Amino acid sequence: MSRVTGIDHLIIATEDLQAATSLYGDVLGFHVSGGGSHPQFGTANRIIVLGDEYIELLAGQPGADPSGLVGGLLRLGEGCAACILGVRDMDEAAEELRSRGLLFEGPTPGRLEAGPQFSRGWKTLTPVSPTIPGVPFLIEHDSLGEERRRLLAGQPGLADHSLGARRVDSVTIAVNNCAEAAGIFDRLFDITVDRKYQDPLLGAECARLHLASGAGIVLAMPMHAGEGPIAAALAARGEGLFALTIDVVDLGVAVRALRARGIGVRVDEPEGVLVAAQLNHRNLMGARIGLIRTQ
């Protein structure tokens, strides 16, 4: 479906928004900004703008019992919680997806209250049948381009990340069956598999889907039943977002900075060349984050 623009944002669930803001900002080197409250859900967030995508640090408001889909995500516990896809025209997308056999709730308006200068709105579609592994809803923001980025950043505004983070390169979604999940993405969004491979570290068979934005969605299912990190994630949380990989300006500099701040980092260095790094999720409130330098 040509109206899918790519990955819009990723949700990282946390039980303590202030602690998460400090970790991602002061320790990991992201510029954490924006944020506010979602009165309709009983949640609050902070934002990390990365190119055209963003990471949303999400928590329940004190004393609130978060409701709806986001409330359900928070109840799964801390860590990578959801991947959200963007669409160009929500009403036309809804009509087209209905013609392709998708049952959904919406379009539903949403709003974040962040003061008179930075409050913003959006519309969402929540798939009901078939559910889309790892994708809890589709979104269209009220604003576009730099205005959207400005509103997302809020206070204190946009700035570079000291980690050198530039954009979301890919997300990894734990699924029970790669072929079935890939078929849903193809049927509904015209997003097809461009590469299949095995990942021994994850104990997974993987299929990478290429998005028009340049980012990728990696579907990963256990290579052997009950074995490996993907199998453990499926047993604990069911199908959903497992990890994200971020493109950085200088991978070596980022790895050294993180290690100096006490973050465990495992590197991939075939033939002595640093090509990727994986941060220890135990240092990240359960979130699995990888780093890569693409060009």
Side-chain angles (χ1 to χ4, degrees), residues 253-271:
V253 169
V255 167
R256 290 191 293 273
L258 290 167
R259 285 176 169 169
R261 296 168 188 163
I263 300 298
V265 183
R266 186 186 71 238
V267 296
D268 185 7
E269 294 180 300
E271 301 180 358

Side-chain angles (χ1 to χ4, degrees), residues 76 80 172-176 202 220 222 226-243 288:
L76 289 175
C80 295
T172 299
I173 295 174
V175 298
N176 291 312
L202 295 182
E227 297 181 11
I230 292 295
L234 287 169
R237 303 171 65 98
E239 292 185 302
L241 182 63
F242 175 78
R288 294 179 182 267

Side-chain angles (χ1 to χ4, degrees), residues 88-157:
R88 290 191 180 90
D89 186 310
M90 183 61 72
D91 295 326
E92 290 187 6
E95 182 178 348
E96 182 172 345
L97 287 169
R98 186 182 292 111
S99 73
R100 297 188 181 199
L102 178 68
L103 299 179
F104 53 82
E105 294 180 3
T108 303
R111 188 162 184 82
L112 180 130
E113 296 299 338
Q117 295 184 23
F118 299 107
S119 293
R120 53 189 173 84
W122 58 82
K123 291 187 287 187
T124 60
L125 282 177
T126 304
V128 175
S129 179
T131 56
I132 305 166
V135 180
F137 55 86
L138 312 177
I139 191 168
E140 180 194 11
H141 295 269
D142 288 352
S143 55
L144 298 172
E146 283 304 306
E147 176 65 5
R148 169 179 170 273
R149 284 165 46 82
R150 183 189 72 81
L151 291 175
L152 284 168
Q155 293 287 2

